[in-house]
Amino acid sequence: MADTQSPDAIARNVQTVLDNIRQAALRAGRNPESVRLIAATKTVAPARVRTAIEAGVRILGENRLQEALPKIEAVGDCEGVVWHFIGRLQRRKVKAVVGRFQMIHSVDSLDLAAEINRRAAEAGLVQAVLMEVNIGEEPTKGGLAPAAVAEAVAAIKALPNLSVLGLMAVPPLATDPEAARPYFRRLRELVLSLPYEDVKELSMGMSQDYAVAVEEGATMVRIGTAIFGARRG
Ligand SMILES: *Cc1c(COP(=O)(O)O)cnc(C)c1O
């Protein structure tokens, strides 16, 4: 469990994950440096997060603002370490997220993008974001429909205080990591189909399927369980 995994185990897990990312990149003929590890830290206590940082993690991903704010405070400033927002973002929480997180992975509507732009302008900064895509077109899931992505990115490109850098997706739940491959491939094809050189990040792949995601072009993988152990609840 997240709170019982020993520091040694966390450090070992980080090395294993980094090694697996490297191997998957090399298998696909990619530069391993082109893939960044994001440790997904929901439910993980600050001391464990620090252990992961000591083991080499540089990007931390949080899902919920209420949980993230005290955790960011408790972990404290660490050289070269940044936080990303990877969970569903509610409009009324945008003000607190903008500027605190280096990147928001989960922009799924123009309305949300407009609010981020407004708050970023107030704060005098440009917020980096990814568009979340409902790549499996699942009725129960958030994210833009694949067919809506090109138009949404074009509209968001016009917002001066928002910088859209790529796409993010969570493929349909499956026990076999290979089941996710066609969805990862589709997300990559989608990002390649966009007429912008600077929209190229692909945030895809979690504990179970990140090796497949890296083979299919992921530039960021979001890993929780494989580093910190199973979450409670
Ligand atoms: C929890 C979470 C992850 C990590 O999931 P694991 O299966 O534990 O690796 C990745 N992305 C998002 C959006 C998450 O909420």
Side-chain angles (χ1 to χ4, degrees):
M1 285 189 216
D3 289 340
T4 57
Q5 191 96 342
S6 76
D8 281 355
I10 291 173
R12 263 198 317 276
N13 291 344
V14 168
Q15 287 317 308
T16 302
V17 167
L18 289 172
D19 204 49
N20 290 342
I21 290 171
R22 187 181 161 76
Q23 296 301 328
L26 293 174
R27 272 200 304 280
R30 301 183 57 204
N31 178 358
E33 306 284 314
S34 66
V35 188
R36 286 180 288 164
L37 168 62
I38 301 173
T41 52
K42 58 176 178 271
T43 79
V44 178
R48 309 278 168 214
V49 176
R50 247 183 259 118
T51 302
I53 292 169
E54 281 155 22
V57 167
R58 288 294 168 267
I59 311 176
L60 306 163
E62 274 284 332
N63 290 67
R64 294 177 209 86
L65 186 66
Q66 312 88 285
E67 186 185 338
L69 294 183
K71 198 178 295 184
I72 292 171
E73 187 83 357
V75 169
D77 275 343
C78 306
E79 181 82 25
V81 171
V82 296
W83 295 79
H84 285 193
F85 196 87
I86 63 174
R88 179 65 66 82
L89 179 55
Q90 293 163 280
R91 213 171 177 281
R92 64 192 169 84
K93 304 218 167 130
V94 165
K95 184 176 166 33
V97 165
V98 160
R100 266 205 181 85
F101 293 83
Q102 189 198 48
M103 190 178 289
I104 301 170
H105 288 230
S106 42
V107 178
D108 58 1
S109 72
L110 291 178
D111 186 52
L112 183 61
E115 178 65 6
I116 294 170
N117 182 64
R118 186 170 81 88
R119 294 300 189 179
E122 275 175 9
L125 53 87
V126 175
Q127 178 67 56
V129 306
L130 305 177
M131 303 301 297
E132 182 170 357
V133 182
N134 185 355
I135 198 67
E137 305 190 66
E138 297 170 274
T140 55
K141 234 180 219 169
L144 292 161
V149 169
E151 205 179 314
V153 172
I156 286 166
K157 273 267 177 193
L159 302 174
N161 291 82
L162 200 143
S163 170
V164 54
L165 299 178
L167 305 177
M168 179 268 217
V170 179
L173 197 62
T175 47
D176 178 7
E178 282 299 327
R181 190 183 296 278
Y183 297 103
F184 293 145
R185 193 166 289 175
R186 196 170 301 165
L187 196 71
R188 176 157 185 272
E189 284 163 2
L190 199 51
V191 89
L192 289 174
S193 74
L194 300 172
Y196 314 105
E197 291 265 317
D198 58 347
V199 182
K200 56 180 189 300
E201 300 286 348
L202 286 169
S203 169
M204 59 187 194
M206 312 193 340
S207 289
Q208 186 185 265
D209 53 20
Y210 66 95
V212 175
V214 169
E215 287 172 6
E216 295 300 329
T219 62
M220 289 180 260
V221 291
R222 309 176 310 269
I223 315 280
T225 315
I227 292 174
F228 300 108
R231 286 178 292 273
R232 253 183 265 262

